[in-house]
Amino acid sequence: MIHALPPLLQRSLASLAPGATDDAAAFTLDRQWQVTHWNAAAASLFGREAHDTIGQPLWQAFPDTFDAAFYQQCVDAAGLARPVHFEYEGAGRWLDCIVYPCSDGLTCVLEDISAPKAEAARVAQLHDIYRNVFQATSDAIWHWNLDEDFVFRHGEHFRKQFGYDIVDTVFPTALWHEVVHPDDMQRVLRNLETVLADPAQPHWSDQYRYKRSDGSFAHVLDTGYILRDDTGRARTMIGALRDITETELAKQALLESRNQYQQLFDSSPLAKWIYDERTLRILEVNRAALKQYGYTREAFLQLNLLDLHPKKEQRRVLQLSRAGKRSDARYEGRWHHLHRDGSVAAVEIASTGITYEGTDATIAVVHDITEQLRLQDTMLREKILRQKELTRVILNTQEKERHEIATELHDNINQVLTTIKLYLEIALTDEAARPALIEKSYRQTQAVINEIRSLCRTIIAPTHTEPCLVHNIRDLIASYEPVAPFTVHFDAAPDFPALPPEMSLTLFRITQEALNNVVKYAGAQNIWITLSAKKGCVRLKVRDDGAGFQPARRRKGVGITNMQNRASLYGGRATISSAPGLGCTLEVELPVPAPATTDVRTTSA
């Protein structure tokens, strides 16, 4: 089989003629490996002239240049009867070799490729460094050839970030338009064109939405470095595409959170503002504060914290602001604030340190307590008036009781004692009448004792080893039975609790006052007294079937008022319902101060 010679080999063979020259080194070998032809390029490449080489075996002429691998390639060419093309490294150089079998031996053509090989190695090394740089960043790297208008995408990070299964691929620039969000395209293009047209701009950067392979959009930051020629024209652009979706979503969430906080801040019914801790200047204010203080928003934001305080408080404000310059400073207190119209309001302020737009600040929540203090002052004055009225009633009651005691002593007991005195004076001189007079004096003295005992019972509450309201009321009822023209029906609930002595005495006195009123005014035939307990309260009810009266009419006595005042001392109330001819009902309700044991008693009287 005859093989066509490659052009390089044809030229090299032609150069074997005497005087011919060629860039490729060429020589021929006979079947005994002796050199039969040696061209000038071979002499130049190996530093050995033809007359020193022809006729010698190749391995003898060049013992250190060609090794077994080279000879094996030559044997393969002869054995296969076809040219063999290979690269070979020997004697410190790389050679591109073609061995062609001939009828009388072999023709070898060699070209020194050491320089291209070294350049290729350097390029490969740079390529490895380039790839390592890609691996060191999470950005998707691209290279835009502006002259030929194509973009080279280095695929690994495009696949990881955006899902495109590409590996170092060239794309026409038009395809980039398909992945930029339509709403962002015109803005990005205008920015890009402006930067490329300005020779003084070495960088370009923009944010936009980039379409992923699944059709969703990622927020990206795209930056590029522009390479220009001597005229300033942009020729190449190398850039990096970074997925900033998480950052943008976090910004959006932060913005939404801030908007929600702003809405809460603005819509709060309490006045609020934020001020700079260092300058005390108002930074933000809500609608409630503007309404409360009478300012427009613009005017309020021109204020300093001191502008809201009377002069007598400004020094204290400065002292506290200096002492509280910490991000976590908290304060609560009462102050006075000036409104725009000059009026002064009492306020309670709660404040805490915050960071507002990068500034150490304080947020203050202000509660206007002017009306509250006014009501408290009014209530205090009313309480004092009630206490004065109660004191007046107590004093009147005491005077009434003293008057009644004095009247009783003067009109009754004193008269009886005067009679006894007269009986005894006569008995001293009249022996005949003496026994009868002494008997009369004895009976009168016993009457006085009984009268004094009855009088004392109305003044001093009955006492027992263990004070019991039920027992005391029974004793009170018993004291009326001999002389009263009515019947008393008494009922106490089985679970009626034992009360503190003072409360028991209060209910006893109210019952006593009610019975006295019935005796004096009602003309009743029956009185019903009931004691009960329910839901933390004790109740006393006194009802009669007497003449009744109009409760709304002004009364001269203090009995009813006294009963009501006694009930109010324990946070209770006393109410009276009556009408002419329908009797009268007194109901008293007192809260029980603490759990107590149940009285032991009978339930009927």
Side-chain angles (χ1 to χ4, degrees), residues 35-316:
V35 178
T36 57
H37 295 281
W38 189 264
N39 73 350
S44 176
L45 177 63
F46 293 105
R48 190 181 178 99
E49 296 296 331
H51 59 81
D52 295 326
T53 306
I54 294 174
Q56 295 188 31
L58 186 64
W59 63 79
Q60 181 178 343
F62 301 96
D64 299 325
T65 302
F66 302 105
D67 60 11
F70 178 84
Y71 290 112
Q72 183 61 49
Q73 294 286 356
C74 293
V75 171
D76 290 345
L80 296 173
R82 63 177 178 77
V84 175
H85 188 190
F86 61 94
E87 291 182 352
Y88 172 74
E89 184 181 16
R93 61 167 65 90
W94 274 94
L95 300 174
D96 183 58
C97 306
I98 299 177
V99 178
Y100 192 84
C102 303
S103 58
D104 56 353
L106 297 171
T107 299
C108 298
V109 179
L110 301 92
E111 186 173 9
D112 189 347
I113 59 172
S114 298
K117 269 288 188 181
E119 180 64 20
R122 188 179 71 83
V123 170
Q125 183 180 18
L126 290 176
H127 188 67
D128 289 341
I129 294 174
Y130 198 38
R131 285 192 172 278
N132 290 334
V133 170
F134 292 165
Q135 296 302 321
T137 180
S138 60
D139 296 348
I141 307 300
W142 51 266
H143 178 191
W144 183 13
N145 187 321
L146 291 154
D147 290 333
E148 300 182 22
D149 198 25
F150 67 80
V151 176
F152 180 78
R153 293 180 183 173
H154 299 278
E156 180 66 16
H157 292 304
F158 275 96
R159 181 183 62 80
K160 288 181 179 180
Q161 294 191 43
F162 308 109
Y164 293 108
D165 193 11
I166 57 176
V167 179
D168 297 350
T169 307
V170 173
F171 292 90
T173 306
L175 290 179
W176 176 69
H177 295 182
E178 298 180 5
V179 295
V180 179
H181 195 286
D183 294 344
D184 298 334
M185 176 59 71
Q186 294 304 317
R187 171 181 58 81
V188 175
L189 285 177
R190 284 195 301 270
N191 181 23
L192 182 60
E193 290 171 358
T194 300
V195 172
L196 291 176
D198 185 355
Q201 294 290 344
H203 298 97
W204 166 79
S205 178
D206 209 339
Q207 291 186 24
Y208 55 89
R209 285 164 289 180
Y210 188 92
K211 190 175 183 179
R212 299 187 181 100
S213 63
D214 61 5
S216 63
F217 282 89
H219 292 268
V220 298
L221 172 64
D222 205 353
T223 57
Y225 179 71
I226 305 170
L227 300 176
R228 300 179 184 271
D229 59 19
D230 294 340
T231 66
R233 179 186 173 190
R235 310 300 296 269
T236 302
M237 196 171 179
I238 300 173
L241 193 66
R242 177 176 299 176
D243 189 340
I244 59 170
T245 303
E246 290 186 3
T247 303
E248 285 300 307
L249 292 177
K251 286 182 179 179
Q252 292 177 7
L254 182 62
L255 181 61
E256 290 177 2
S257 176
R258 179 171 180 178
N259 290 337
Q260 291 176 356
Y261 169 78
Q262 187 70 37
Q263 290 176 0
L264 291 174
F265 180 83
D266 286 338
S267 61
S268 172
L270 294 177
K272 294 182 181 181
W273 57 71
I274 300 172
Y275 64 89
D276 189 314
E277 286 186 356
R278 184 178 62 85
T279 64
L280 303 184
R281 184 174 62 86
I282 304 296
L283 303 175
E284 187 59 83
V285 61
N286 72 348
R287 292 192 296 268
L290 298 177
K291 181 178 179 180
Q292 183 172 316
Y293 287 80
Y295 287 94
T296 64
R297 176 179 175 80
E298 292 72 17
F300 204 104
L301 293 178
Q302 296 299 316
L303 296 179
N304 183 290
L305 188 62
L306 297 179
D307 297 331
L308 296 170
H309 289 267
K311 288 186 177 180
K312 64 181 180 180
E313 291 184 353
Q314 291 180 0
R315 184 174 181 180
R316 182 178 164 218

Side-chain angles (χ1 to χ4, degrees), residues 350-493:
S351 63
T352 186
I354 62 170
T355 299
Y356 179 77
E357 295 185 351
T359 300
D360 290 337
T362 296
I363 180 171
V365 181
V366 183
H367 181 205
D368 191 329
I369 59 172
T370 306
E371 184 64 18
Q372 176 183 332
L373 293 180
R374 187 190 66 78
L375 291 175
Q376 289 177 353
D377 186 59
T378 300
M379 292 173 64
L380 179 60
R381 288 199 301 270
E382 290 178 352
K383 183 178 180 180
I384 292 173
L385 289 175
R386 286 197 302 271
Q387 289 175 340
K388 288 181 178 180
E389 177 64 19
L390 180 59
T391 302
R392 185 186 67 79
V393 169
I394 291 173
L395 292 176
N396 289 341
T397 301
Q398 290 175 345
E399 288 300 323
K400 177 176 176 289
E401 290 177 347
R402 288 179 182 141
H403 178 73
E404 290 176 349
I405 293 170
T407 301
E408 188 70 22
L409 291 173
H410 180 271
D411 295 345
N412 191 3
I413 296 174
N414 189 55
Q415 296 297 326
V416 175
L417 289 174
T418 301
T419 301
I420 293 171
K421 179 177 178 291
L422 290 174
Y423 286 165
L424 292 175
E425 287 178 349
I426 296 171
L428 288 174
T429 58
D430 188 346
E431 292 183 5
R434 183 178 298 166
L437 292 174
I438 291 174
E439 177 65 26
K440 289 181 179 180
S441 297
Y442 171 79
R443 288 196 299 270
Q444 292 289 344
T445 301
Q446 185 62 47
V448 168
I449 291 172
N450 292 337
E451 188 70 23
I452 291 173
R453 183 181 292 117
S454 177
L455 182 61
C456 290
R457 190 179 290 113
T458 63
I459 300 172
I460 303 173
T463 59
H464 297 268
T465 305
E466 293 182 4
C468 173
L469 177 61
V470 175
H471 292 161
N472 291 341
I473 291 179
R474 290 189 191 283
D475 289 346
L476 178 63
I477 293 171
S479 70
Y480 280 92
E481 287 179 348
V483 296
F486 49 75
T487 301
V488 180
H489 309 273
F490 178 50
D491 181 59

Side-chain angles (χ1 to χ4, degrees), residues 546-565:
F549 62 96
Q550 289 285 359
R553 288 186 179 177
R554 184 177 180 85
R555 300 176 299 274
K556 294 182 179 180
V558 296
I560 293 177
T561 302
N562 191 28
M563 289 188 288
Q564 292 173 333
N565 287 334

